[in-house]
């Protein structure tokens, strides 16, 4: 069974540009989470989808970040315009049912804004 | 004060050694905890769950001290393959895996 997959694995963009990260959860997982780790800091929660609905987006840093999950399958996280402090590793995770089952993480997208 | 604090290490130990690291948490109402393992440039993977006083799985033992608000992870008979960063994670008070709160991690390096 395929795990959580994220694309691209690395992205280097210039400040002010737009980047879109994609996450394909494990098939059948309704819950999808985005987290990120900026340099030297801990992994922090960004938001949580249940199917196509945003359940909790309290961790989104500002309105330059837009997450979507049309159709309740894969999700995209767009950063527009990117700033230097957005550099970090963006992780996606998915789980089968709300709360009680293990969340599996993807390998992350390493974003560098120069 | 951070919600979850860990000694960043690194802990450098020889193969076969026993090593332990602690994690402190700030919310006294927290009921359950996780230890995740993260290899370099890989995804975090669940190592152990801690729901009551502790949990043991082979060479790994996790203990919870509610009075002092810390969780410990003990690794016995260390292997080279144990080299990784160990993340202490606190789930929300409702339990489960939503909106996890991560510590910054403790690095372990096991050498021959």
């Amino acid at each position: 069974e395929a795990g959580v997959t994220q694309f691209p694995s690395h992205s280097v963009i210039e400040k002010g540009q737009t980047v879109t990260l994609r996450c394909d959860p494990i098939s059948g997982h309704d819950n999808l989470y985005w987290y990120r780790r900026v340099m030297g800091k801990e992994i922090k929660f960004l938001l949580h989808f249940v199917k196509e609905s945003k359940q909790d987006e309290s961790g989104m840093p500002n309105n330059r970040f837009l997450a979507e999950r049309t159709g309740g399958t894969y999700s995209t996280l767009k950063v527009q315009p990117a700033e230097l402090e957005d550099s970090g590793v963006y992780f996606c995770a998915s789980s089968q049912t709300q709360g009680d089952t293990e969340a599996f993480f993807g390998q992350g997208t390493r974003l560098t804004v120069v | 004060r951070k919600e979850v604090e860990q000694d960043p290490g690194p802990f450098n130990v020889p193969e076969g050694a026993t090593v332990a690291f602690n994690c402190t948490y700030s919310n006294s109402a927290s009921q359950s905890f996780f230890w995740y393992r993260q290899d370099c440039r890989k995804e975090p993977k669940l190592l152990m769950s801690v729901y009551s006083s502790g949990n043991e799985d082979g060479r790994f033992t996790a203990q919870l001290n509610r009075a002092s608000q810390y969780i410990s992870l003990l690794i016995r008979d260390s292997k080279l393959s144990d080299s990784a960063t160990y993340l202490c994670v606190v789930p929300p008070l409702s339990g489960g895996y939503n909106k996890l709160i991560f510590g910054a991690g403790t690095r372990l390096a096991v050498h021959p």
Side-chain angles (χ1 to χ4, degrees), chain B residues 10-58:
Chain B
F11 284 65
N12 293 299
V13 303
E15 275 186 289
T18 295
V19 61
F21 13 89
N22 288 342
C23 160
T24 58
Y25 59 95
S26 62
N27 190 341
S28 60
S30 295
Q31 295 294 313
S32 58
F33 307 87
F34 303 125
W35 281 103
Y36 274 72
R37 170 199 169 120
Q38 186 176 22
D39 293 290
C40 187
R41 293 180 180 263
K42 297 288 187 181
E43 71 276 21
K45 290 184 179 178
L46 181 65
L47 178 66
M48 298 184 75
S49 306
V50 188
Y51 292 108
S52 55
S53 61
N55 191 8
E56 184 172 331
D57 183 4

Side-chain angles (χ1 to χ4, degrees), chain A residues 20-67:
Chain A
T20 300
L21 314 181
R22 173 173 167 143
C23 168
D24 285 74
I26 293 172
S27 178
H29 282 195
D30 289 340
N31 293 287
L32 187 149
Y33 314 89
W34 284 98
Y35 288 82
R36 77 170 178 178
R37 183 173 198 159
V38 296
M39 183 67 71
K41 301 284 188 182
E42 61 275 14
I43 297 172
K44 288 203 168 178
F45 169 84
L46 295 178
L47 87 161
H48 170 206
F49 282 101
V50 177
K51 297 185 180 178
E52 67 276 7
S53 300
K54 291 177 186 174
Q55 185 80 0
D56 182 347
E57 53 183 327
S58 60
M60 294 288 264
N62 51 61
N63 59 10
R64 295 185 294 104
F65 289 75
L66 175 64

Side-chain angles (χ1 to χ4, degrees), chain A residues 80-101:
Chain A
Q80 178 182 31
E83 298 289 346
L84 299 178
E85 64 264 25
D86 300 333
S87 296
V89 182
Y90 289 76
F91 290 102
C92 176
S94 71
S95 68
Q96 193 166 24
T97 57
Q98 181 127 0
D100 292 339
T101 58

Side-chain angles (χ1 to χ4, degrees), chain B residues 59-75:
Chain B
R59 298 183 294 109
F60 297 83
T61 301
Q63 291 190 314
L64 169 61
N65 184 315
R66 292 190 190 278
S68 301
Q69 292 181 219
Y70 76 82
I71 315 113
S72 63
L73 179 66
L74 178 80
I75 304 174

